[in-house]
Amino acid sequence: MNAESAARPEGHEGITPDRLLHTAGAEVTAEDLALASGRDLTPESIEWARRRLAERGRAAVEEQLP
């Protein structure tokens, strides 16, 4: 048993832990936001993501995640 499986409640295989779903403490890049929003990594989408991050901060990515 590894640390990951020990942290998962029995009978809940396949559930992603919250720490992997949210960005708290992690650096968020424009590329991360573009991908989280379902966009291809193009110069336009990266520029959109940079503007969005400047306006909304980390919340811009959190809004895209389940």
Side-chain angles (χ1 to χ4, degrees):
M1 180 184 304
N2 62 35
E4 186 69 27
S5 63
R8 195 176 301 147
E10 206 172 302
H12 289 88
E13 289 95 24
I15 295 175
T16 304
D18 281 347
R19 66 181 171 73
L20 298 177
L21 290 176
H22 302 285
T23 61
E27 180 181 342
V28 177
T29 66
E31 290 82 0
D32 293 333
L33 177 56
L35 292 172
S37 68
R39 299 170 189 241
D40 291 329
L41 291 180
T42 64
E44 294 80 12
S45 69
I46 293 171
E47 184 55 35
W48 166 84
R50 282 189 182 120
R51 287 192 311 270
R52 186 83 172 158
L53 283 170
E55 294 168 6
R56 307 274 301 147
R58 184 168 287 159
V61 166
E62 293 291 334
E63 293 167 351
Q64 301 298 320
L65 300 175

